[in-house]
């Protein structure tokens, strides 16, 4: 078995012992010239896409079925697999890509959303004089710059603060961060800088003040990972790759090589998950880019092969935007157990993570309450005590499986490779494993290079450096203004469309329905607090969305931002998709149920809902219990011991507030633990106890009842004796 470490060589230039070993003194003008030449090469060598729009899924499946033999068949539609397909097709290879689920349905949509070189890897490289780690960081920094260049609508530089609480750490961290800038060279996004304590608190006012010495700010990139993955796959489709999601590989096809007499992998038996139809897809070369499922495909080739994947679970949580500044992230380099945690603004929310624990490979990873609480506890350590970090503020949570790999050729077979590896089996199956999101393009380049060499394919060098992804070419920071002016969209919606679809945003705007209002003229929202509009559902189907889960998690990011909002939007999303895809009532109900299970288990709704269960204890002071009972009895005027929609409507009408019955039903259902259509006193007290403990926040019923009580109290007539008996 030919097993290659896929690490690119680096020319070492410069003086000084450390510089000589790590090559930290590359000439900036030489590097800038190198990068510019790479972009020119891509622009000159790659022709225009063969398709203005990606062909429909049906057309792609026909191509898969009717093509006698592809040059390359890629299994796996994550970032790496999609990158392999794009690299191959732009070299002129006849390319196919199949994905068992949806594009980016696995690890690639569940990342920290950073495009980074790896600050902590550079620290290890310097401390241990590890040239491999240095090369890995240097390659990642080059890829970071390229990704920001080719998808400017989906990515942007992000300043990240590293708070310092000990004086001796300030120069130590400053040197490390400056070396990070130096290694990036001409690819440095912006120069890092030091902040005094007062300036650090200006930028990040919710930071823990006690013992704070100062802070260092450095820059990395941030992106919308699932949309980025989709853009790569759509770009490959536009250049002519036959790409199909929901296409499962059942087995690998093999044929005997007439020259050697050995069996060679020659394609795959595929099954359309949506229809159940099976057919063969033949190819000269098959690439396994299945992330955590790497060994599953490798064992299809050779059931006795040594496993190389060591999966690790990384949990992230999403909290309200007020937990962090809008444009400043935070890095905790040393948590209580030595792990690194990021605390970042993302899509106007705050994302925190990640954990790193061994796990089993599964299609449906579930975030555990233990991991969620670990992250919350670490967040409490570096946020001011003025900020109450509440469990109830976790709006969504997810677990992603990081496919770490081992090198079977290593003397220590348990050691985890810090870079990606390309594995070529005896029968010619090529596996790309390991690596990270940022380096997907260079991983794909190394993989196709290996494929060309191993299978004698006729192809030139990689042409993906500088190649714009779908939506990026004609995007500009002011594009959203044209959307507002030309179509009458809200500014927030227009900004969202421009940042999600780039120059394709106009096509979404054309599909937007009229609101019937003076403003906005078009663009009906799916949920009021997020800028997603109904037209995106119709456009999402053009982007190969096949299920409601595709729509709430990857075409939009609702599920990753707020599980309750995603659940509220589901009925309308299913209705719109059903209209476009001709779903009957049974199919619509099935889609609703599947999407709700997805939210409940995979997006943290289960953990969130378990904060308030019929087993929750009531731990309130006697005075609090009396106060909440009085509030409850203002609604339960008949002293029944429970309240219904009718009771709430009666109180609301008395203070001139109108609310439709469906909304009221949703509000009560959140607290109705035994689901009997009514909220009992005990359930209400459990709710208020959970709110006091911070396990539940944003309860609509609690806020509505408090507001109604205050309005009722204000309307109580003042007794005559309060004004001394008269005028």
């Amino acid at each position: 078995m030919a097993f290659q470490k896929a690490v690119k060589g680096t020319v070492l230039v410069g003086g000084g012992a450390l510089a000589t070993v790590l090559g930290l003194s590359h000439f900036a003008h030489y590097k800038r010239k190198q990068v510019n030449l790479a972009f020119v090469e891509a622009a000159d060598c790659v022709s225009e896409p063969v398709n203005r729009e990606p062909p429909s899924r049906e057309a792609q499946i026909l191509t898969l079925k009717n093509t006698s033999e592809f040059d390359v068949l890629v299994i796996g539609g994550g970032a790496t697999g999609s990158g392999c397909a794009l690299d191959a097709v732009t070299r002129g290879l006849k390319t196919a890509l199949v994905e068992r689920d949806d594009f980016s349905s696995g690890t690639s949509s569940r990342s920290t959303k950073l495009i980074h070189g790896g600050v902590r890897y550079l620290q290890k490289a310097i401390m241990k004089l590890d040239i491999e780690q240095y090369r890995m960081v240097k390659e990642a920094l080059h890829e970071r710059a390229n990704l920001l260049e080719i998808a400017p609508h989906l990515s942007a530089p992000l300043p990240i603060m590293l708070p310092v609480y000990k004086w001796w750490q300030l120069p130590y961290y400053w040197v490390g961060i400056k070396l990070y800038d130096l290694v990036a060279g001409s690819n440095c996004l912006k120069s890092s800088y030091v902040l005094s304590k007062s300036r650090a608190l200006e930028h990040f006012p919710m930071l823990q003040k006690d013992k704070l010495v100062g802070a260092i700010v450095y820059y990395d990139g941030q992106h919308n990972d699932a949309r980025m993955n989709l853009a790569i796959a759509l770009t490959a489709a536009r250049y002519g790759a036959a790409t199909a999601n929901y296409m499962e590989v059942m087995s690998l096809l093999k044929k005997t090589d007439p020259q050697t007499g050995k069996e060679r992998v020659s394609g795959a038996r595929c099954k359309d998950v949506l229809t159940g139809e099976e057919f063969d897809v033949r190819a000269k070369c098959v690439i396994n880019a299945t992330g955590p499922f790497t060994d599953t495909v490798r064992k299809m080739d050779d059931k006795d092969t040594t496993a190389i994947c060591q999966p690790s679970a990384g949990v992230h949580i999403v909290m309200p935007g007020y937990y962090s500044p809008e444009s400043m992230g935070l890095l905790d380099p040393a948590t209580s157990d030595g792990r690194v945690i990021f605390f970042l603004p993302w899509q106007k929310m705050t994302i925190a993570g990640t954990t790193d624990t061994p796990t089993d490979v599964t299609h449906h990873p579930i975030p555990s309450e233990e991991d969620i609480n670990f992250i919350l506890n670490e967040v409490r350590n570096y946020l001011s005590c003025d900020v109450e970090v509440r469990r109830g503020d976790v709006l969504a949570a997810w677990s992603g499986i990081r496919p770490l790999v081992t090198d079977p050729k290593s003397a220590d077979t348990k050691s985890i490779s810090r870079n990606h590896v390309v594995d070529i089996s005896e029968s010619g199956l090529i596996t790309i494993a390991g690596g990270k999101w940022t380096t997907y393009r260079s991983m794909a380049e190394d993989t196709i290079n290996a494929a060309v060499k191993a299978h004698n394919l006729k192809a030139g060098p990689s042409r993906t450096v500088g190649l714009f992804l779908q939506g990026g070419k004609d995007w500009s920071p002011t594009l959203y203004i044209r959307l507002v002016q030309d179509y009458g969209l809200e500014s927030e919606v227009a900004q969202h469309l421009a940042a999600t679809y780039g120059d394709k945003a106009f096509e979404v705007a054309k599909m937007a329905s009229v609101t019937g209002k003076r403003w906005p003229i078009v663009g009906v929202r799916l949920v009021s607090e997020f800028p997603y509009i109904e037209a995106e559902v119709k456009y999402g189907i053009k982007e190969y969305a096949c299920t409601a889960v595709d729509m709430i998690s990857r075409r939009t990011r609702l599920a990753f931002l707020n599980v309750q909002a995603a659940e509220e939007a589901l009925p309308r999303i299913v209705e719109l998709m059903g209209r476009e895809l001709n779903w009957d009532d049974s199919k619509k109900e099935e889609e609703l149920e599947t999407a709700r299970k997805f939210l409940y288990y995979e997006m943290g709704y289960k953990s969130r809902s378990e904060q308030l269960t019929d087993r929750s204890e009531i731990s309130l002071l006697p005075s609090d219990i009396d106060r909440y009972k009085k509030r409850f009895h203002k609604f339960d005027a008949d002293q029944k011991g429970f309240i219904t929609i009718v009771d709430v409507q009666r109180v609301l009408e008395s203070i001139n507030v109108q609310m439709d019955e469906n909304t009221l039903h949703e509000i009560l259902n959140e607290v109705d633990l035994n689901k009997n259509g009514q909220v009992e006193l005990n359930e209400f007290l459990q709710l208020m106890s959970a709110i006091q403990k911070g396990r539940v926040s944003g309860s609509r019923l609690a806020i509505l009842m408090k507001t109604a009580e205050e309005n009722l109290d204000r309307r109580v007539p003042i007794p005559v004796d309060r004004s001394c008996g008269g005028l």
Side-chain angles (χ1 to χ4, degrees), residues 96-323:
L97 167 68
V98 293
E99 160 61 43
R100 184 200 53 215
D101 205 305
D102 184 29
F103 302 112
S104 194
S105 58
T107 305
S108 296
S109 63
R110 302 169 190 243
S111 73
T112 311
K113 322 303 178 194
L114 284 177
I115 310 170
H116 64 103
V119 172
R120 65 181 186 270
Y121 295 123
L122 181 62
Q123 179 190 21
K124 292 177 183 177
I126 294 170
M127 298 297 289
K128 298 180 180 180
L129 297 180
D130 189 330
I131 190 66
E132 182 188 332
Q133 293 234 28
Y134 166 70
R135 286 172 175 164
M136 183 177 68
V137 173
K138 189 165 186 61
E139 177 187 60
L141 288 169
H142 173 265
E143 294 301 323
R144 180 189 69 177
N146 181 65
L147 196 49
L148 290 167
E149 176 80 18
I150 65 177
H153 58 304
L154 292 169
S155 60
L158 176 72
I160 300 175
M161 180 182 290
L162 195 145
V164 180
Y165 290 93
K166 295 177 181 177
W167 280 107
W168 67 266
Q169 290 178 331
L170 199 61
Y172 175 76
Y173 286 146
W174 182 82
V175 169
I177 295 299
K178 278 299 173 187
L179 285 173
Y180 192 60
D181 291 349
L182 185 59
V183 173
S186 62
N187 293 324
C188 181
L189 302 179
K190 290 184 181 180
S191 184
S192 58
Y193 54 91
V194 177
L195 291 175
S196 66
K197 176 178 179 178
S198 59
R199 290 285 291 160
L201 292 172
E202 280 181 32
H203 285 280
F204 212 115
M206 54 284 294
L207 201 60
Q208 173 68 258
K209 303 178 182 68
D210 297 340
K211 298 181 181 178
L212 182 68
V213 172
I216 299 169
V217 176
Y218 73 97
Y219 286 80
D220 260 327
Q222 189 178 53
H223 68 153
N224 187 338
D225 54 1
R227 293 293 319 181
M228 185 74 81
N229 191 158
L230 187 62
I232 300 167
L234 291 172
T235 306
R238 290 183 63 206
Y239 276 96
T243 59
N245 54 354
Y246 293 98
M247 189 64 61
E248 183 176 4
V249 170
M250 308 303 291
S251 62
L252 296 177
L253 305 177
K254 291 188 177 182
K255 66 180 181 181
T256 303
D257 187 330
Q259 294 181 344
T260 63
K262 293 182 179 180
E263 278 197 329
R264 304 284 288 176
V265 173
S266 60
R269 180 72 175 176
C270 297
K271 176 183 177 181
D272 186 337
V273 175
L274 303 181
T275 65
E277 181 185 9
E278 293 190 17
F279 55 88
D280 292 339
V281 178
R282 300 199 173 273
K284 296 173 184 175
C285 170
V286 176
I287 294 172
N288 170 20
T290 53
F293 301 95
T294 291
D295 289 322
T296 303
V297 177
R298 292 176 73 244
K299 287 181 183 297
M300 286 183 184
D301 175 37
D302 177 6
K303 60 182 175 55
D304 298 321
T305 191
T306 304
I308 63 172
C309 185
Q310 292 192 5
S312 171
V315 171
H316 294 81
I317 63 173
V318 169
M319 305 172 78
Y322 55 71
Y323 272 96

Side-chain angles (χ1 to χ4, degrees), residues 2-22:
F3 193 92
Q4 308 163 8
K5 275 250 177 130
V7 182
K8 294 181 180 177
T10 305
V11 179
L12 304 181
V13 184
L18 187 60
T20 303
V21 175
L22 297 179

